[in-house]
Structure formats: C-alpha cells, structure tokens
Amino acid sequence: PVWKIIVDENNNKARAIKEVDVGYCDMNGDRDCNSDDVKIIEGLMGECFSGRKFDIRADMDRDDCITETDRELLLREISE
C-alpha cells in the first residue's frame, strides 16, 4: 500500500495518515499523484475511447472521454 501523510502546515505535525490507491490518479507511474499527472490529463483532453491517444487511466469518471471533469476529479484527489 501507499500511504499519504497529511501534515498540519502550522507546526509540521502529522494530522492524519491514510492509505491511497495511487493507481487511480498516478498517470506517469511515479507512485505519486501530483501536477505532473494533471499535465498528462490536460494533454489528453478531448480524447475518447475510439481515439488513438485515449488512456483509460485518464478517464477518471469512466464516461469514455477525457474531459474537464476528469481533470477536476484528479485535482480533488491531489488536494485530499
């Protein structure tokens, strides 16, 4: 498992530790969900299931197209 440590910004103490499934938002395979993954989704925007560049990992809402909704879902994962 991969664990995310949520730190209190004021005193740098851990507030919570939670298990995360980075496979859900880790587009580049670096075992982290961050702005690099957002850039990948942005580069795939508009691709749908039948397209050459379609990547199922970027289709966060599983509607067969990579849209702004997928980007927003990834940003939500990063901010948690």
Side-chain angles (χ1 to χ4, degrees):
V2 174
W3 300 93
K4 181 175 184 178
I5 300 172
I6 301 165
V7 178
D8 184 335
E9 293 179 18
N10 294 326
N11 59 14
N12 295 325
K13 292 184 180 178
R15 286 187 312 159
I17 300 173
K18 73 176 190 173
E19 185 175 356
V20 293
D21 176 9
V22 295
Y24 181 67
C25 58
D26 180 20
M27 295 295 303
N28 60 1
D30 67 356
R31 301 189 55 84
D32 193 15
C33 297
N34 55 35
S35 61
D36 293 335
D37 302 300
V38 175
K39 289 177 190 173
I40 292 170
I41 282 187
E42 289 172 345
L44 296 171
M45 295 285 265
E47 287 293 322
C48 291
F49 183 73
S50 60
R52 290 182 306 123
K53 294 185 345 182
F54 181 78
D55 187 331
I56 189 69
R57 294 171 302 163
D59 185 16
M60 308 279 289
D61 62 1
R62 301 297 187 247
D63 69 350
D64 293 333
C65 287
I66 301 167
T67 63
E68 183 64 27
T69 301
D70 300 304
R71 181 180 176 278
E72 292 299 320
L73 288 169
L74 176 57
L75 288 172
R76 192 176 309 153
E77 284 293 313
I78 292 171
S79 68
E80 287 184 357

